Amino acid sequence: MFKRIKEDIDMVLELDPAATSQTMVFLTYSGMHAVWGHLIAHWFYKHRMFLIARIISQTIRFFTGIEIHPGATIGRRLFIDHGMGIVIGETTTIGDDVTLYQGVTLGGTGKEKGKRHPTIEDKVLVATGAQVLGNITIGEGTNIGANSVVLKNVPSYSTVVGIPGHIVRRHGKRVPTDTLNHNNLPDPILNKILELEKEITQFKEKERNEVKDGSHI
């Protein structure tokens, strides 16, 4: 356990420029507190002491704003940045060196039994507000853009954005027909407004030309 704590502290110092000392990280980083509390809750869960496990997980949720079901399986060096509002479901599996930002949900899609939450492979980054739902696999090294909703398997080393999530890059190369950046998510409402604005402008221009030509009634 002490080795795991030191490993996590060193990881945060390496990844977060705001972290300036081991003492600061140990005392103030709620994402690490949530992970450490989960390790304890998970031990009780594996030994079928479900009530104690849930009490621990809910206590951690109260203090950190991060809800990790004690049944979830979490790898090493999970970096939860800020973390408020994160939800990780019971059958979720998370690999090593994964990064989650605030508001992320790794959840289910209904009342299925068995494996019903995502598998997140190593070195995946899930940005703010993203939702990864159902028994799907997010491949190693994938980046999921902020506020995306991912409902299908994603191959390794992809970049996913949008609602529903779609792949815009693979292995660092842009997927043909897509022109989106990781931090520039599609906005269908804005796109529709811009289309209507363009049509109105064209209609007004046509009307002005008709008046100018004397053909307007």
Side-chain angles (χ1 to χ4, degrees):
M1 183 67 178
F2 291 108
K3 181 179 179 181
R4 176 69 179 260
I5 290 173
K6 184 180 186 305
E7 184 178 69
D8 287 343
I9 291 174
D10 291 341
M11 176 259 308
V12 172
L13 289 171
E14 179 181 351
L15 294 177
D16 190 353
T20 57
S21 71
Q22 290 182 336
T23 302
M24 172 192 286
V25 173
F26 180 78
L27 294 176
T28 66
Y29 273 67
S30 59
M32 286 198 319
H33 299 158
V35 172
W36 297 339
H38 170 73
L39 294 177
I40 299 171
H42 189 62
W43 185 91
F44 283 102
Y45 185 88
K46 288 195 300 182
H47 289 81
R48 304 190 63 80
M49 290 181 272
F50 301 129
L51 178 58
I52 297 175
R54 289 306 299 267
I55 289 173
I56 293 172
S57 69
Q58 290 301 298
T59 301
I60 295 298
R61 175 192 179 193
F62 177 81
F63 284 106
T64 66
I66 299 167
E67 181 172 349
I68 308 175
H69 192 285
T73 301
I74 294 178
R76 304 186 78 87
R77 297 177 299 279
L78 171 62
F79 180 43
I80 297 178
D81 195 11
H82 301 294
M84 181 63 69
I86 282 179
V87 177
I88 299 175
E90 179 182 12
T91 61
T92 301
T93 300
I94 299 177
D96 298 334
D97 302 302
V98 170
T99 298
L100 304 179
Y101 286 89
Q102 65 269 24
V104 165
T105 298
L106 306 179
T109 57
K111 295 183 177 180
E112 318 94 79
K113 296 187 180 297
K115 184 75 166 75
R116 61 188 187 280
H117 297 98
T119 295
I120 310 297
E121 295 186 348
D122 299 345
K123 300 177 183 178
V124 170
L125 183 148
V126 187
T128 303
Q131 317 290 302
V132 184
L133 306 176
N135 180 18
I136 61 176
T137 298
I138 307 301
E140 178 179 352
T142 290
N143 293 331
I144 297 177
N147 298 314
S148 300
V149 178
V150 185
L151 303 172
K152 296 181 180 180
N153 293 332
V154 177
S156 299
Y157 300 101
S158 301
T159 297
V160 178
V161 299
I163 304 174
H166 57 279
I167 299 169
V168 295
R169 284 184 183 273
R170 287 205 63 193
H171 296 282
K173 297 182 179 180
R174 193 180 301 279
V175 174
T177 74
D178 283 297
T179 58
L180 299 171
N181 293 321
H182 179 64
N183 61 347
N184 183 20
L185 299 182
D187 188 340
I189 296 177
L190 176 60
N191 290 340
K192 181 59 67 176
I193 291 173
L194 292 175
E195 288 177 10
L196 290 173
E197 184 179 37
K198 183 178 179 180
E199 290 179 6
I200 292 171
T201 301
Q202 291 174 343
F203 176 79
K204 288 183 177 179
E205 183 67 25
K206 180 181 179 181
E207 190 175 54
R208 281 195 296 268
N209 291 335
E210 289 177 348
V211 171
K212 189 176 181 180
D213 294 339
S215 59
H216 182 71
I217 300 177

